Each structure stands twice: as structure tokens, then as C-alpha cells.
Amino acid sequence: MLRWLAKLWKLGAQDTEPALRRRIMLVNQLGLFGAVTTVPYQLFYGLTSLSYYAPVFASNLAIMAGYLWTLWANYRRRHDSARNFIVVVVMAQLAMVTWYIGRDLGVHLFYFTLISILPLLFERARARALALLAGSNALLFWICDQNFGHATPPLAVPEVILTLVFGFSTVAAVALITAFMVLFRQQIDAVEESLTDSNLELAQLSATDVLTQLPNRRAVEAFLARWSEKPDTLVGVVLCDIDYFKLYNDHYGHLRGDETLYAIGAALRDSTRSDFDLVARYGGEEFIILLPQANHGYIKEAVERLRAAVEALAIEHRYRPDALEVVTMSIGYSQFESRGKRRAPSTREPIDAADKALYRAKNLGRNRAESGFRGAND
Ligand SMILES: Nc1nc2c(ncn2[C@@H]2O[C@H](COP(=O)(O)OP(=O)(O)OP(=O)(O)O)[C@@H](O)[C@H]2O)c(=O)[nH]1
């Protein structure tokens, strides 16, 4: 039933921008609820004294047709007409019903809830226009309430039935306003959820390298910042640079170069602890691997595993000047010591140390790893 209703109030809302979609749905909801909730009153008028209530019964039929017309108008993409029309319909129904039957049945309470919703149909209206609409609704309600309150007393109906109808009107008014609030809440939740999702997606995109799909430099900074706040832990910092990559690009082409970068990134990622370490693209043909909670022994072992993994890919590179005919990389490594929040350690220092060690590895013949641990100079 609810799914069926939801389908109805989405009439004409497909492929529209979010603000307009919300408004269309609200107009449809008002149209549906307005039409459906008039039915019990019509039954009451018809079953008690149709001749006495004939004017209000007939007017209500016209009003119900008006409510349903707004759904049709939205379906035909005449959204502004639908919105303007429903404002008139709701206000007319309030005036008309109170005029005919006064306050005794509590029907005015019910339409009061409907007119309170009307300002929400003008999503871009200025505060002054909204205040004017809300003010004129309140004035209309007050005029109806004051002037027509005792106009036409219900006829030939036992007091208990009148009390029941008044009770029904009160419950229906509260139920109606609750239903609208719940629907708003659901919309807000849905919007919030989709915003959170797209923020997450954006954050992920802005921290991901497009070519290798590895985290980028921004992610490295964030990772180090996170670890620098943990007390007393060692993070291995490993800088890798592909050997003779310019020659590779020159001879095999930039596209093959891109593929090689991707393959190397994947190999590095497969050689590390997936739930713990960070493998990132640090620059052009440079990668950085961060190994948290690793001691010297583990870092050295991991570095050798990384170097060997790339060599084992056996990507042909016949144009390098040395005897090796495959793509290799040189590595410089060091460590980052976190000391908790007491003193934020510099993240630059260990990266510089690894960079210097990498430079040494290049000078010492490439396809090798050099340590930048404090005190190490070999
Ligand atoms: N295909 C490709 N090449 C890149 C990319 N980013 C950087 N490079 C190339 O990487 C090469 C780096 O060259 P160099 O810094 O001279 O170093 P190298 O030739 O690797 O020499 P050594 O590092 O001394 O072994 C340059 O030719 C860059 O164009 C990229 O995204 N794709």
C-alpha cells in the first residue's frame, strides 16, 4: 500500500533536479492526502443528511477533483501550475468547509495542518514572500474560525457522533502532520546519506593516483600524520625509483611506460601487508611504501622482497646501459619514529633520509637498496 502510494507521489518527479523533485513529491502528497482524507467526511455528510450537506458535499467533490488534478498536472510536467493550483485548492477548502459546517466537527483543524505545509512548496521564495503566505493562511484560518464558527450546526446527529467526528478530525490532523514530518525526515536522511557517500568517494578520489589506482602523495601525508599521533611506534619509509625509466619510455613508448608503472604498483602492493602497509605513488616513477609497526629487521626484509618482486616481473628493458635486460628499481629506506601527541615528529626528515639513501643506491649501480637509518652511511 505504502509502496503504491510512494509510486503515486513520485508522478512526474523522474529526471528532475533534487529541489524540484522534492517539491513535486510534496505537491503530490498534499494532493493525495487531501483527496483521500476528504472521503470519510463525504461519507459522514452522505450518511447523515445529504440534502442538508449538499453544498459542502458538492464543493468537496470539486475540491477532490482539484487535488487529483495536481497529480495529473505534475505527470504532464506542468509543475508550477500544479503547485499554484494546490495552494488555491487547500485554501478554498479551508474557507468553504468552515463556512458551511463551522468548527463543531473539527474539520478546520484538519485543513489547518494542510495550509501549514503550503509555504514549503516555494523552495526558492524570499522570506518576505513566505511570511506573506503563512500570514495570509493564518488570517484566512482566523477569519473562518471567527466568522463561520457557529454558522451551520450539524443536523439531526446524536451528540456522540459529533464527538466522534471531532475526535477523528483531531487524530487525522495530528496523523497528517506526523506523516509529513516523517516523510521530510526520510528525505533529509536520504540526502544526508548520499552526501556522506559522495564525500567519501571524493575523498577517496582526491587521494588516489589515476594511473596506478594506488594512493597518492596526499594519502601518504594523511597516513604519516595518523601514525605520528600514535605513541612510540616505528614506521618503515621505503622510497623506490624505477631504473632508467627515461630510456624505457624513449624506446618502448609512453603507453608501455604507463602499463609498466601500473604493473610495478600492483606488484609492490601484492608484496606488502594489505591491511597494514601503505603503497603509494609518490611522483612520476617513484613509489613510497610505509610499513607501520616494523622493526629494522622487518623493514630490511620487506625492502628486499619489494626489490625482488619488481625484478621477478621480468619486464623487458633491453635499452638500459648495464647488463640487466629487465625493469628494476632502486630503493632507499629509513624509518619514522612516532612519539604520540607530546611532540609531533617531522615526517619530512625520514623521507629525506630515504631519498638520500636512494640516491646512493643509484650511484652504487641500481637494482639495490640502501639504508638511511640514523647512523647508517652505507
Ligand atoms: N610513461 C610514463 N612515464 C613517466 C610518468 N611519470 C614520469 N615518467 C617518466 O619517468 C622518467 C624519469 O626519468 P629520470 O628522472 O631521468 O630517471 P631515469 O631515466 O629513470 O633514470 P634513473 O632514475 O637515474 O635510473 C621520465 O622520462 C618521465 O617522463 C608517467 O606517468 N608515465
Side-chain angles (χ1 to χ4, degrees):
M1 169 78 172
L2 221 98
R3 202 176 296 166
W4 188 75
L5 268 179
K7 239 185 201 166
L8 268 183
W9 68 55
K10 281 180 187 150
L11 273 181
Q14 295 84 356
D15 308 322
T16 49
E17 49 107 8
L20 179 60
R21 185 161 59 242
R22 276 200 300 280
R23 191 235 285 176
I24 295 169
M25 281 164 49
L26 186 55
V27 168
N28 288 343
Q29 284 160 357
L30 275 168
L32 268 177
F33 289 157
V36 169
T37 48
T38 305
V39 172
Y41 293 110
Q42 292 294 76
L43 285 177
F44 170 79
Y45 303 139
L47 293 176
T48 49
S49 173
L50 190 55
S51 56
Y52 181 76
Y53 286 120
V56 69
F57 188 87
S59 311
N60 262 345
L61 280 183
I63 295 261
M64 285 164 82
Y67 279 130
L68 295 178
W69 184 85
T70 56
L71 277 100
W72 173 250
N74 270 334
Y75 175 66
R76 300 302 305 266
R77 308 264 161 187
R78 292 165 65 188
H79 305 307
D80 284 349
S81 308
R83 190 258 319 271
N84 298 340
F85 193 69
I86 204 151
V87 171
V88 175
V89 171
V90 172
M91 290 171 91
Q93 192 174 26
L94 170 74
M96 184 274 295
V97 171
T98 327
W99 166 271
Y100 278 121
I101 60 165
R103 293 180 304 204
D104 294 351
L105 297 178
V107 191
H108 62 309
L109 295 177
F110 184 72
Y111 295 111
F112 180 70
T113 64
L114 282 186
I115 59 167
S116 320
I117 306 284
L118 296 182
L120 295 172
L121 297 177
F122 297 84
E123 68 274 4
R124 286 197 191 96
R126 295 212 181 120
R128 210 184 302 168
L130 289 179
L132 193 71
L133 179 64
S136 38
N137 284 340
L139 185 67
L140 175 71
F141 181 77
W142 183 77
I143 291 172
C144 295
D145 188 66
Q146 289 300 302
N147 294 294
F148 317 143
H150 309 285
T152 324
L155 260 190
V157 182
E159 187 65 28
V160 61
I161 299 280
L162 293 185
T163 313
L164 280 177
V165 176
F166 195 94
F168 168 80
S169 294
T170 319
V171 171
V174 172
L176 198 66
I177 207 84
T178 309
F180 277 114
M181 290 303 165
V182 168
L183 289 170
F184 285 148
R185 178 81 231 185
Q186 281 176 352
Q187 277 181 8
I188 291 170
D189 287 350
V191 169
E192 206 173 68
E193 205 172 301
S194 88
L195 267 181
T196 312
D197 284 354
S198 38
N199 277 347
L200 264 175
E201 209 172 302
L202 274 179
Q204 220 156 30
L205 276 179
S206 73
T208 304
D209 171 56
V210 183
L211 174 63
T212 59
Q213 291 301 309
L214 290 176
N216 61 17
R217 217 171 168 130
R218 191 192 295 258
V220 171
E221 305 287 342
F223 189 91
L224 281 174
R226 237 182 4 258
W227 277 94
S228 71
E229 287 186 0
K230 301 193 194 254
D232 304 320
T233 186
L234 278 184
V235 181
V237 176
V238 183
L239 264 185
C240 310
D241 185 288
I242 304 175
D243 297 325
Y244 301 118
F245 200 52
K246 182 172 177 343
L247 285 173
Y248 186 90
N249 268 330
D250 290 349
H251 288 92
Y252 295 98
H254 218 262
L255 268 183
R256 274 276 289 278
D258 283 354
E259 286 166 15
T260 298
L261 278 171
Y262 182 85
I264 290 177
L268 295 177
R269 198 180 43 217
D270 292 346
S271 312
T272 47
R273 301 168 295 183
S274 59
D275 47 348
F276 228 38
D277 304 334
L278 183 84
V279 176
R281 186 172 179 202
Y282 200 56
E285 20 70 277
E286 259 192 348
F287 294 88
I288 190 167
I289 295 100
L290 300 173
L291 309 162
Q293 290 186 335
N295 57 29
H296 286 193
Y298 179 80
I299 297 171
K300 276 187 177 173
E301 196 187 297
V303 161
E304 180 46 33
R305 195 168 57 238
L306 292 164
R307 190 206 59 74
V310 170
E311 190 175 3
L313 287 174
I315 301 170
E316 183 190 285
H317 188 350
R318 283 190 291 118
Y319 301 96
R320 53 189 294 164
D322 54 15
L324 278 169
E325 295 204 333
V326 292
V327 171
T328 59
M329 62 181 194
S330 300
I331 301 178
Y333 59 96
S334 91
Q335 74 199 17
F336 165 80
E337 278 178 67
S338 73
R339 297 198 179 92
K341 284 182 176 153
R342 279 167 288 146
R343 185 166 72 85
S346 156
T347 55
R348 196 59 251 168
E349 217 175 278
I351 295 178
D352 282 348
D355 200 33
K356 282 193 184 110
L358 171 62
Y359 187 71
R360 273 204 312 281
K362 289 276 181 190
N363 285 337
L364 289 168
R366 295 178 173 79
N367 189 28
R368 56 184 289 148
E370 285 296 311
S371 160
F373 288 152
R374 206 169 285 153
N377 57 359
D378 54 349

mmCIF file of all heavy atoms in Angstrom, residues 259-301:
data_model
loop_
_atom_site.group_PDB
_atom_site.id
_atom_site.type_symbol
_atom_site.label_atom_id
_atom_site.label_comp_id
_atom_site.label_asym_id
_atom_site.label_seq_id
_atom_site.Cartn_x
_atom_site.Cartn_y
_atom_site.Cartn_z
ATOM 1 N N GLU A 259 51.852 1.290 -18.616
ATOM 2 C CA GLU A 259 51.474 -0.080 -18.234
ATOM 3 C C GLU A 259 52.476 -0.647 -17.236
ATOM 4 O O GLU A 259 52.123 -1.345 -16.290
ATOM 5 C CB GLU A 259 51.432 -0.983 -19.483
ATOM 6 C CG GLU A 259 50.216 -0.710 -20.351
ATOM 7 C CD GLU A 259 50.343 -1.347 -21.749
ATOM 8 O OE1 GLU A 259 51.233 -2.221 -21.941
ATOM 9 O OE2 GLU A 259 49.575 -0.938 -22.624
ATOM 10 N N THR A 260 53.746 -0.319 -17.471
ATOM 11 C CA THR A 260 54.792 -0.817 -16.578
ATOM 12 C C THR A 260 54.642 -0.213 -15.182
ATOM 13 O O THR A 260 54.780 -0.910 -14.167
ATOM 14 C CB THR A 260 56.178 -0.492 -17.174
ATOM 15 O OG1 THR A 260 56.243 -1.177 -18.418
ATOM 16 C CG2 THR A 260 57.299 -0.907 -16.271
ATOM 17 N N LEU A 261 54.318 1.083 -15.150
ATOM 18 C CA LEU A 261 54.093 1.722 -13.847
ATOM 19 C C LEU A 261 52.952 1.022 -13.106
ATOM 20 O O LEU A 261 53.040 0.760 -11.906
ATOM 21 C CB LEU A 261 53.731 3.204 -14.043
ATOM 22 C CG LEU A 261 54.899 4.158 -14.255
ATOM 23 C CD1 LEU A 261 54.394 5.535 -14.652
ATOM 24 C CD2 LEU A 261 55.738 4.269 -12.986
ATOM 25 N N TYR A 262 51.897 0.711 -13.852
ATOM 26 C CA TYR A 262 50.741 0.057 -13.233
ATOM 27 C C TYR A 262 51.142 -1.324 -12.695
ATOM 28 O O TYR A 262 50.823 -1.688 -11.556
ATOM 29 C CB TYR A 262 49.615 -0.084 -14.260
ATOM 30 C CG TYR A 262 48.374 -0.711 -13.680
ATOM 31 C CD1 TYR A 262 47.435 0.067 -13.013
ATOM 32 C CD2 TYR A 262 48.174 -2.086 -13.757
ATOM 33 C CE1 TYR A 262 46.318 -0.512 -12.439
ATOM 34 C CE2 TYR A 262 47.063 -2.678 -13.180
ATOM 35 C CZ TYR A 262 46.133 -1.887 -12.536
ATOM 36 O OH TYR A 262 45.034 -2.458 -11.961
ATOM 37 N N ALA A 263 51.892 -2.070 -13.524
ATOM 38 C CA ALA A 263 52.282 -3.431 -13.126
ATOM 39 C C ALA A 263 53.195 -3.396 -11.901
ATOM 40 O O ALA A 263 53.051 -4.212 -10.981
ATOM 41 C CB ALA A 263 52.987 -4.122 -14.301
ATOM 42 N N ILE A 264 54.092 -2.432 -11.876
ATOM 43 C CA ILE A 264 55.010 -2.332 -10.729
ATOM 44 C C ILE A 264 54.224 -1.971 -9.458
ATOM 45 O O ILE A 264 54.424 -2.557 -8.395
ATOM 46 C CB ILE A 264 56.130 -1.311 -11.016
ATOM 47 C CG1 ILE A 264 57.060 -1.898 -12.074
ATOM 48 C CG2 ILE A 264 56.895 -0.961 -9.744
ATOM 49 C CD1 ILE A 264 58.165 -0.975 -12.514
ATOM 50 N N GLY A 265 53.292 -1.034 -9.603
ATOM 51 C CA GLY A 265 52.456 -0.645 -8.452
ATOM 52 C C GLY A 265 51.734 -1.865 -7.897
ATOM 53 O O GLY A 265 51.698 -2.080 -6.678
ATOM 54 N N ALA A 266 51.172 -2.675 -8.802
ATOM 55 C CA ALA A 266 50.423 -3.855 -8.353
ATOM 56 C C ALA A 266 51.347 -4.850 -7.669
ATOM 57 O O ALA A 266 51.010 -5.433 -6.633
ATOM 58 C CB ALA A 266 49.726 -4.501 -9.545
ATOM 59 N N ALA A 267 52.548 -5.024 -8.236
ATOM 60 C CA ALA A 267 53.498 -5.979 -7.639
ATOM 61 C C ALA A 267 53.909 -5.519 -6.242
ATOM 62 O O ALA A 267 54.029 -6.328 -5.315
ATOM 63 C CB ALA A 267 54.729 -6.106 -8.549
ATOM 64 N N LEU A 268 54.134 -4.223 -6.093
ATOM 65 C CA LEU A 268 54.518 -3.696 -4.773
ATOM 66 C C LEU A 268 53.385 -3.920 -3.769
ATOM 67 O O LEU A 268 53.612 -4.336 -2.631
ATOM 68 C CB LEU A 268 54.843 -2.194 -4.859
ATOM 69 C CG LEU A 268 56.068 -1.817 -5.703
ATOM 70 C CD1 LEU A 268 56.229 -0.299 -5.767
ATOM 71 C CD2 LEU A 268 57.340 -2.446 -5.118
ATOM 72 N N ARG A 269 52.170 -3.662 -4.236
ATOM 73 C CA ARG A 269 51.021 -3.827 -3.323
ATOM 74 C C ARG A 269 50.887 -5.290 -2.917
ATOM 75 O O ARG A 269 50.623 -5.603 -1.751
ATOM 76 C CB ARG A 269 49.756 -3.352 -4.035
ATOM 77 C CG ARG A 269 48.616 -3.054 -3.085
ATOM 78 C CD ARG A 269 47.402 -2.605 -3.840
ATOM 79 N NE ARG A 269 47.205 -3.437 -5.017
ATOM 80 C CZ ARG A 269 46.764 -2.990 -6.189
ATOM 81 N NH1 ARG A 269 46.481 -1.711 -6.340
ATOM 82 N NH2 ARG A 269 46.603 -3.788 -7.210
ATOM 83 N N ASP A 270 51.127 -6.206 -3.879
ATOM 84 C CA ASP A 270 50.978 -7.627 -3.563
ATOM 85 C C ASP A 270 52.090 -8.135 -2.650
ATOM 86 O O ASP A 270 52.001 -9.242 -2.120
ATOM 87 C CB ASP A 270 50.977 -8.459 -4.865
ATOM 88 C CG ASP A 270 49.716 -8.171 -5.673
ATOM 89 O OD1 ASP A 270 48.778 -7.569 -5.101
ATOM 90 O OD2 ASP A 270 49.689 -8.513 -6.874
ATOM 91 N N SER A 271 53.152 -7.351 -2.500
ATOM 92 C CA SER A 271 54.268 -7.827 -1.669
ATOM 93 C C SER A 271 54.242 -7.200 -0.272
ATOM 94 O O SER A 271 55.229 -7.269 0.449
ATOM 95 C CB SER A 271 55.602 -7.462 -2.326
ATOM 96 O OG SER A 271 55.582 -7.810 -3.675
ATOM 97 N N THR A 272 53.143 -6.552 0.074
ATOM 98 C CA THR A 272 53.073 -5.921 1.398
ATOM 99 C C THR A 272 51.852 -6.418 2.160
ATOM 100 O O THR A 272 51.010 -7.120 1.597
ATOM 101 C CB THR A 272 52.977 -4.389 1.259
ATOM 102 O OG1 THR A 272 51.989 -4.101 0.276
ATOM 103 C CG2 THR A 272 54.277 -3.765 0.861
ATOM 104 N N ARG A 273 51.764 -6.022 3.425
ATOM 105 C CA ARG A 273 50.615 -6.445 4.251
ATOM 106 C C ARG A 273 49.415 -5.566 3.867
ATOM 107 O O ARG A 273 49.422 -4.364 4.153
ATOM 108 C CB ARG A 273 50.942 -6.277 5.733
ATOM 109 C CG ARG A 273 52.162 -7.073 6.184
ATOM 110 C CD ARG A 273 52.614 -6.644 7.564
ATOM 111 N NE ARG A 273 53.098 -5.255 7.573
ATOM 112 C CZ ARG A 273 53.616 -4.649 8.643
ATOM 113 N NH1 ARG A 273 53.743 -5.313 9.777
ATOM 114 N NH2 ARG A 273 54.019 -3.395 8.578
ATOM 115 N N SER A 274 48.402 -6.164 3.260
ATOM 116 C CA SER A 274 47.326 -5.362 2.669
ATOM 117 C C SER A 274 46.557 -4.541 3.708
ATOM 118 O O SER A 274 46.069 -3.454 3.427
ATOM 119 C CB SER A 274 46.367 -6.249 1.894
ATOM 120 O OG SER A 274 45.839 -7.210 2.780
ATOM 121 N N ASP A 275 46.424 -5.085 4.922
ATOM 122 C CA ASP A 275 45.600 -4.383 5.901
ATOM 123 C C ASP A 275 46.407 -3.399 6.748
ATOM 124 O O ASP A 275 45.889 -2.781 7.656
ATOM 125 C CB ASP A 275 44.926 -5.407 6.823
ATOM 126 C CG ASP A 275 45.914 -6.449 7.321
ATOM 127 O OD1 ASP A 275 47.032 -6.493 6.772
ATOM 128 O OD2 ASP A 275 45.587 -7.187 8.259
ATOM 129 N N PHE A 276 47.684 -3.253 6.442
ATOM 130 C CA PHE A 276 48.545 -2.526 7.365
ATOM 131 C C PHE A 276 49.403 -1.484 6.657
ATOM 132 O O PHE A 276 49.470 -0.323 7.049
ATOM 133 C CB PHE A 276 49.462 -3.569 8.009
ATOM 134 C CG PHE A 276 49.551 -3.457 9.491
ATOM 135 C CD1 PHE A 276 48.440 -3.142 10.257
ATOM 136 C CD2 PHE A 276 50.759 -3.675 10.128
ATOM 137 C CE1 PHE A 276 48.526 -3.043 11.623
ATOM 138 C CE2 PHE A 276 50.864 -3.582 11.501
ATOM 139 C CZ PHE A 276 49.735 -3.273 12.247
ATOM 140 N N ASP A 277 50.092 -1.937 5.604
ATOM 141 C CA ASP A 277 51.074 -1.077 4.939
ATOM 142 C C ASP A 277 50.412 -0.174 3.909
ATOM 143 O O ASP A 277 49.308 -0.443 3.448
ATOM 144 C CB ASP A 277 52.131 -1.945 4.232
ATOM 145 C CG ASP A 277 52.798 -2.910 5.195
ATOM 146 O OD1 ASP A 277 52.834 -2.596 6.403
ATOM 147 O OD2 ASP A 277 53.266 -3.971 4.751
ATOM 148 N N LEU A 278 51.120 0.891 3.545
ATOM 149 C CA LEU A 278 50.605 1.771 2.501
ATOM 150 C C LEU A 278 51.588 1.770 1.333
ATOM 151 O O LEU A 278 52.774 2.051 1.499
ATOM 152 C CB LEU A 278 50.471 3.201 3.036
ATOM 153 C CG LEU A 278 49.866 4.158 2.019
ATOM 154 C CD1 LEU A 278 48.345 4.081 2.050
ATOM 155 C CD2 LEU A 278 50.295 5.594 2.283
ATOM 156 N N VAL A 279 51.082 1.427 0.163
ATOM 157 C CA VAL A 279 51.893 1.507 -1.053
ATOM 158 C C VAL A 279 51.303 2.651 -1.865
ATOM 159 O O VAL A 279 50.125 2.633 -2.199
ATOM 160 C CB VAL A 279 51.807 0.201 -1.865
ATOM 161 C CG1 VAL A 279 52.581 0.326 -3.171
ATOM 162 C CG2 VAL A 279 52.339 -0.959 -1.052
ATOM 163 N N ALA A 280 52.118 3.659 -2.162
ATOM 164 C CA ALA A 280 51.575 4.838 -2.839
ATOM 165 C C ALA A 280 52.488 5.255 -3.975
ATOM 166 O O ALA A 280 53.685 4.939 -3.989
ATOM 167 C CB ALA A 280 51.432 5.980 -1.845
ATOM 168 N N ARG A 281 51.896 5.962 -4.938
ATOM 169 C CA ARG A 281 52.732 6.554 -5.992
ATOM 170 C C ARG A 281 53.151 7.920 -5.465
ATOM 171 O O ARG A 281 52.318 8.758 -5.145
ATOM 172 C CB ARG A 281 51.941 6.683 -7.276
ATOM 173 C CG ARG A 281 52.823 7.144 -8.421
ATOM 174 C CD ARG A 281 52.106 7.081 -9.725
ATOM 175 N NE ARG A 281 52.947 7.536 -10.816
ATOM 176 C CZ ARG A 281 52.477 7.974 -11.950
ATOM 177 N NH1 ARG A 281 51.175 8.018 -12.150
ATOM 178 N NH2 ARG A 281 53.302 8.378 -12.903
ATOM 179 N N TYR A 282 54.444 8.129 -5.406
ATOM 180 C CA TYR A 282 54.940 9.336 -4.760
ATOM 181 C C TYR A 282 55.220 10.452 -5.758
ATOM 182 O O TYR A 282 55.207 11.616 -5.440
ATOM 183 C CB TYR A 282 56.197 8.980 -3.969
ATOM 184 C CG TYR A 282 56.518 9.999 -2.897
ATOM 185 C CD1 TYR A 282 55.590 10.323 -1.928
ATOM 186 C CD2 TYR A 282 57.754 10.645 -2.877
ATOM 187 C CE1 TYR A 282 55.869 11.253 -0.945
ATOM 188 C CE2 TYR A 282 58.042 11.581 -1.890
ATOM 189 C CZ TYR A 282 57.098 11.881 -0.935
ATOM 190 O OH TYR A 282 57.362 12.813 0.027
ATOM 191 N N GLY A 283 55.527 10.056 -6.983
ATOM 192 C CA GLY A 283 55.823 11.031 -8.035
ATOM 193 C C GLY A 283 55.868 10.267 -9.331
ATOM 194 O O GLY A 283 55.406 9.118 -9.376
ATOM 195 N N GLY A 284 56.407 10.846 -10.400
ATOM 196 C CA GLY A 284 56.468 10.213 -11.718
ATOM 197 C C GLY A 284 56.715 8.717 -11.667
ATOM 198 O O GLY A 284 55.786 7.920 -11.766
ATOM 199 N N GLU A 285 58.012 8.324 -11.512
ATOM 200 C CA GLU A 285 58.318 6.878 -11.483
ATOM 201 C C GLU A 285 58.827 6.488 -10.099
ATOM 202 O O GLU A 285 59.642 5.589 -9.952
ATOM 203 C CB GLU A 285 59.336 6.471 -12.566
ATOM 204 C CG GLU A 285 60.194 7.568 -13.159
ATOM 205 C CD GLU A 285 61.243 8.139 -12.198
ATOM 206 O OE1 GLU A 285 60.839 9.033 -11.403
ATOM 207 O OE2 GLU A 285 62.418 7.736 -12.246
ATOM 208 N N GLU A 286 58.293 7.184 -9.119
ATOM 209 C CA GLU A 286 58.684 6.913 -7.729
ATOM 210 C C GLU A 286 57.503 6.384 -6.931
ATOM 211 O O GLU A 286 56.400 6.903 -7.036
ATOM 212 C CB GLU A 286 59.141 8.228 -7.076
ATOM 213 C CG GLU A 286 60.638 8.374 -7.009
ATOM 214 C CD GLU A 286 61.029 9.532 -6.092
ATOM 215 O OE1 GLU A 286 60.153 10.336 -5.711
ATOM 216 O OE2 GLU A 286 62.208 9.622 -5.779
ATOM 217 N N PHE A 287 57.785 5.359 -6.135
ATOM 218 C CA PHE A 287 56.759 4.830 -5.236
ATOM 219 C C PHE A 287 57.260 4.965 -3.803
ATOM 220 O O PHE A 287 58.480 4.983 -3.569
ATOM 221 C CB PHE A 287 56.498 3.352 -5.527
ATOM 222 C CG PHE A 287 55.890 3.108 -6.882
ATOM 223 C CD1 PHE A 287 56.706 2.926 -8.007
ATOM 224 C CD2 PHE A 287 54.517 3.073 -7.048
ATOM 225 C CE1 PHE A 287 56.158 2.714 -9.256
ATOM 226 C CE2 PHE A 287 53.962 2.862 -8.298
ATOM 227 C CZ PHE A 287 54.770 2.678 -9.408
ATOM 228 N N ILE A 288 56.339 5.048 -2.876
ATOM 229 C CA ILE A 288 56.737 5.049 -1.468
ATOM 230 C C ILE A 288 55.931 3.972 -0.756
ATOM 231 O O ILE A 288 54.749 3.769 -1.066
ATOM 232 C CB ILE A 288 56.515 6.430 -0.814
ATOM 233 C CG1 ILE A 288 57.150 6.478 0.579
ATOM 234 C CG2 ILE A 288 55.057 6.816 -0.716
ATOM 235 C CD1 ILE A 288 57.262 7.887 1.166
ATOM 236 N N ILE A 289 56.602 3.261 0.122
ATOM 237 C CA ILE A 289 55.897 2.231 0.892
ATOM 238 C C ILE A 289 56.107 2.550 2.367
ATOM 239 O O ILE A 289 57.247 2.757 2.798
ATOM 240 C CB ILE A 289 56.432 0.809 0.566
ATOM 241 C CG1 ILE A 289 56.125 0.482 -0.898
ATOM 242 C CG2 ILE A 289 55.767 -0.253 1.436
ATOM 243 C CD1 ILE A 289 57.261 0.654 -1.811
ATOM 244 N N LEU A 290 55.031 2.601 3.109
ATOM 245 C CA LEU A 290 55.110 2.876 4.540
ATOM 246 C C LEU A 290 54.733 1.607 5.300
ATOM 247 O O LEU A 290 53.688 0.997 5.025
ATOM 248 C CB LEU A 290 54.166 4.023 4.915
ATOM 249 C CG LEU A 290 54.467 5.341 4.189
ATOM 250 C CD1 LEU A 290 53.402 6.380 4.460
ATOM 251 C CD2 LEU A 290 55.847 5.880 4.582
ATOM 252 N N LEU A 291 55.627 1.212 6.188
ATOM 253 C CA LEU A 291 55.428 -0.050 6.900
ATOM 254 C C LEU A 291 55.297 0.241 8.399
ATOM 255 O O LEU A 291 56.307 0.355 9.093
ATOM 256 C CB LEU A 291 56.635 -0.973 6.670
ATOM 257 C CG LEU A 291 57.072 -1.185 5.223
ATOM 258 C CD1 LEU A 291 58.487 -1.734 5.150
ATOM 259 C CD2 LEU A 291 56.104 -2.151 4.547
ATOM 260 N N PRO A 292 54.084 0.383 8.896
ATOM 261 C CA PRO A 292 53.940 0.712 10.317
ATOM 262 C C PRO A 292 54.268 -0.461 11.219
ATOM 263 O O PRO A 292 54.150 -1.618 10.795
ATOM 264 C CB PRO A 292 52.468 1.088 10.443
ATOM 265 C CG PRO A 292 51.861 0.947 9.120
ATOM 266 C CD PRO A 292 52.798 0.240 8.215
ATOM 267 N N GLN A 293 54.634 -0.123 12.423
ATOM 268 C CA GLN A 293 54.960 -1.120 13.447
ATOM 269 C C GLN A 293 55.938 -2.165 12.916
ATOM 270 O O GLN A 293 55.686 -3.368 12.986
ATOM 271 C CB GLN A 293 53.675 -1.775 13.952
ATOM 272 C CG GLN A 293 52.862 -0.799 14.778
ATOM 273 C CD GLN A 293 51.658 -1.408 15.435
ATOM 274 O OE1 GLN A 293 51.133 -2.406 14.979
ATOM 275 N NE2 GLN A 293 51.218 -0.792 16.515
ATOM 276 N N ALA A 294 57.018 -1.655 12.320
ATOM 277 C CA ALA A 294 58.014 -2.563 11.753
ATOM 278 C C ALA A 294 59.376 -2.258 12.394
ATOM 279 O O ALA A 294 59.729 -1.093 12.540
ATOM 280 C CB ALA A 294 58.086 -2.336 10.252
ATOM 281 N N ASN A 295 60.107 -3.304 12.778
ATOM 282 C CA ASN A 295 61.459 -3.053 13.309
ATOM 283 C C ASN A 295 62.459 -3.093 12.154
ATOM 284 O O ASN A 295 62.101 -3.410 11.011
ATOM 285 C CB ASN A 295 61.801 -4.052 14.420
ATOM 286 C CG ASN A 295 61.695 -5.479 13.910
ATOM 287 O OD1 ASN A 295 61.906 -5.731 12.711
ATOM 288 N ND2 ASN A 295 61.368 -6.406 14.788
ATOM 289 N N HIS A 296 63.705 -2.780 12.464
ATOM 290 C CA HIS A 296 64.723 -2.709 11.407
ATOM 291 C C HIS A 296 64.782 -3.987 10.590
ATOM 292 O O HIS A 296 64.845 -3.968 9.364
ATOM 293 C CB HIS A 296 66.095 -2.451 12.035
ATOM 294 C CG HIS A 296 66.233 -1.037 12.503
ATOM 295 N ND1 HIS A 296 67.430 -0.478 12.867
ATOM 296 C CD2 HIS A 296 65.311 -0.067 12.647
ATOM 297 C CE1 HIS A 296 67.226 0.775 13.227
ATOM 298 N NE2 HIS A 296 65.953 1.047 13.111
ATOM 299 N N GLY A 297 64.756 -5.106 11.287
ATOM 300 C CA GLY A 297 64.872 -6.405 10.602
ATOM 301 C C GLY A 297 63.748 -6.580 9.598
ATOM 302 O O GLY A 297 63.978 -6.975 8.452
ATOM 303 N N TYR A 298 62.535 -6.266 10.055
ATOM 304 C CA TYR A 298 61.381 -6.462 9.178
ATOM 305 C C TYR A 298 61.471 -5.532 7.969
ATOM 306 O O TYR A 298 61.182 -5.921 6.829
ATOM 307 C CB TYR A 298 60.069 -6.218 9.944
ATOM 308 C CG TYR A 298 58.885 -6.398 9.034
ATOM 309 C CD1 TYR A 298 58.397 -7.672 8.735
ATOM 310 C CD2 TYR A 298 58.295 -5.297 8.397
ATOM 311 C CE1 TYR A 298 57.353 -7.845 7.856
ATOM 312 C CE2 TYR A 298 57.249 -5.459 7.518
ATOM 313 C CZ TYR A 298 56.776 -6.745 7.256
ATOM 314 O OH TYR A 298 55.747 -6.923 6.369
ATOM 315 N N ILE A 299 61.910 -4.283 8.224
ATOM 316 C CA ILE A 299 61.978 -3.312 7.118
ATOM 317 C C ILE A 299 62.960 -3.807 6.048
ATOM 318 O O ILE A 299 62.650 -3.816 4.854
ATOM 319 C CB ILE A 299 62.375 -1.911 7.637
ATOM 320 C CG1 ILE A 299 61.302 -1.375 8.589
ATOM 321 C CG2 ILE A 299 62.573 -0.916 6.492
ATOM 322 C CD1 ILE A 299 61.670 -0.096 9.332
ATOM 323 N N LYS A 300 64.151 -4.273 6.510
ATOM 324 C CA LYS A 300 65.169 -4.752 5.553
ATOM 325 C C LYS A 300 64.634 -5.915 4.721
ATOM 326 O O LYS A 300 64.826 -5.974 3.500
ATOM 327 C CB LYS A 300 66.413 -5.220 6.317
ATOM 328 C CG LYS A 300 67.347 -4.074 6.659
ATOM 329 C CD LYS A 300 68.621 -4.611 7.247
ATOM 330 C CE LYS A 300 69.568 -3.461 7.524
ATOM 331 N NZ LYS A 300 70.751 -3.881 8.251
ATOM 332 N N GLU A 301 63.954 -6.791 5.414
ATOM 333 C CA GLU A 301 63.407 -7.973 4.737
ATOM 334 C C GLU A 301 62.332 -7.550 3.712
ATOM 335 O O GLU A 301 62.322 -8.033 2.570
ATOM 336 C CB GLU A 301 62.752 -8.837 5.833
ATOM 337 C CG GLU A 301 62.450 -10.252 5.474
ATOM 338 C CD GLU A 301 61.650 -10.865 6.637
ATOM 339 O OE1 GLU A 301 62.208 -10.944 7.756
ATOM 340 O OE2 GLU A 301 60.475 -11.187 6.415
#
